[in-house]
Amino acid sequence: MPTRKLSYMSSSQIREIEKQEAVLILPIGCVEQHGPVGYVGADAILAECVAERAAEALEHVYVAPPLWYGYTPYTAWPGTVTLRLETLQALVHDVVFGYLAHGFRRLVIVNNHGPNEAAIEPVAREVREEYGLELAIVYPWRLASSLAKEKYPEMSGSFGHGGEPTISVMMALAPGVIDTSADVKRGYVKDGTAIDIVSYRSARFEGQEVGLFSDPTEILPSGASGDWRHASEEVGKAVLEDVVQFTIRFLEHFEKRPLPTEEEH
């Protein structure tokens, strides 16, 4: 089957793509720590995997070269590299508008790192204002957690950064790479107050979420809030398949949404 990855296509082949029918997926990740056992490139690796498998299943879907780096606060951990938020926004803007200039009209970003959304949303607004087009986002890690809770409710106590279901999915993506034998204290540090830290940028008080921006190294010394000890490649493959199939179903409906006419915009 001819490739759907623009990286492996010539300029003339890309010119021949029927842009009015095509959906272009842009994978975006982040190079950051995932606790003592997770590998740092997982965000982009998963984003590209989901994009490629969806493109293989659908006729008019193509995959742009991925953006590996994103915005993350975990820079104290070796291997984590962050872009400034304004740098990421400028990068996403230039890439997205570059593909729009070449005629693509249906763009889906497979963004696999939540904080990146702060840079993507302003670009989506510009796309809407200038072209009258919608920019969609699919978030594989968020999907993995949601779908795994439905399929494996017994895993819920292991969920979290550097824990499940992400470590199982990493095992499926790169068999033999993960070693789950690390024995370190996991989770967020408690300070003895009624404010319960749940991430570097949020906490819970009286059952409600509040914003609270903390030093990640102080509140999460291991780098992992979740439990990885019972992760398995088998579970990871099942969760990954669910994420891919959801993405395929979404793209099937997204590509049917009408594009604005010249008169409408």
Side-chain angles (χ1 to χ4, degrees), residues 198-252:
V198 295
S199 83
Y200 71 88
R201 55 182 176 171
S202 61
R204 296 192 73 82
F205 178 70
E206 295 184 353
Q208 304 300 320
E209 186 169 320
V210 296
L212 186 64
F213 293 89
S214 307
D215 182 340
T217 60
E218 293 181 359
I219 62 170
L220 196 64
S222 73
S225 60
D227 194 342
W228 59 82
R229 292 174 296 176
H230 303 294
S232 73
E233 185 179 332
E234 180 182 5
V235 168
K237 287 180 178 178
V239 174
L240 176 57
E241 180 64 21
D242 286 346
V243 170
V244 170
Q245 292 304 316
F246 174 93
T247 303
I248 290 170
R249 294 193 302 273
F250 172 76
L251 292 173
E252 286 176 326

Side-chain angles (χ1 to χ4, degrees), residues 26 28 67 85-100 107-109 116-137:
L26 174 61
I28 302 180
L67 304 183
L85 196 58
E86 60 268 28
T87 301
L88 179 60
Q89 181 177 331
L91 177 62
V92 174
H93 174 279
D94 290 354
V95 172
V96 166
F97 274 80
Y99 285 119
L100 290 171
L107 272 71
V108 176
I109 293 179
N116 289 347
E117 292 179 357
I120 297 170
E121 184 176 355
V123 177
R125 184 183 66 247
E126 291 183 67
V127 169
R128 187 171 61 251
E129 290 174 351
E130 186 162 337
Y131 286 89
L133 301 172
E134 300 168 324
L135 191 64
I137 294 180

Side-chain angles (χ1 to χ4, degrees), residues 100-119:
L100 290 171
H102 288 301
F104 288 97
R105 288 297 176 264
R106 292 184 175 90
L107 272 71
V108 176
I109 293 179
V110 176
N111 171 53
N112 210 24
H113 183 65
N116 289 347
E117 292 179 357

Side-chain angles (χ1 to χ4, degrees), residues 36-37 162-164 167 180-184 186 224 226-231:
V37 304
E164 288 290 69
I167 299 302
T180 60
S181 63
D183 186 17
V184 298
R186 302 171 301 280
D227 194 342
W228 59 82
R229 292 174 296 176
H230 303 294

Side-chain angles (χ1 to χ4, degrees), residues 39 46 141 144 165-174 232 236 239-240:
Y39 43 86
L46 176 58
W141 281 143
T166 58
I167 299 302
S168 285
V169 173
M170 288 186 203
M171 286 180 160
L173 291 169
S232 73
V239 174
L240 176 57

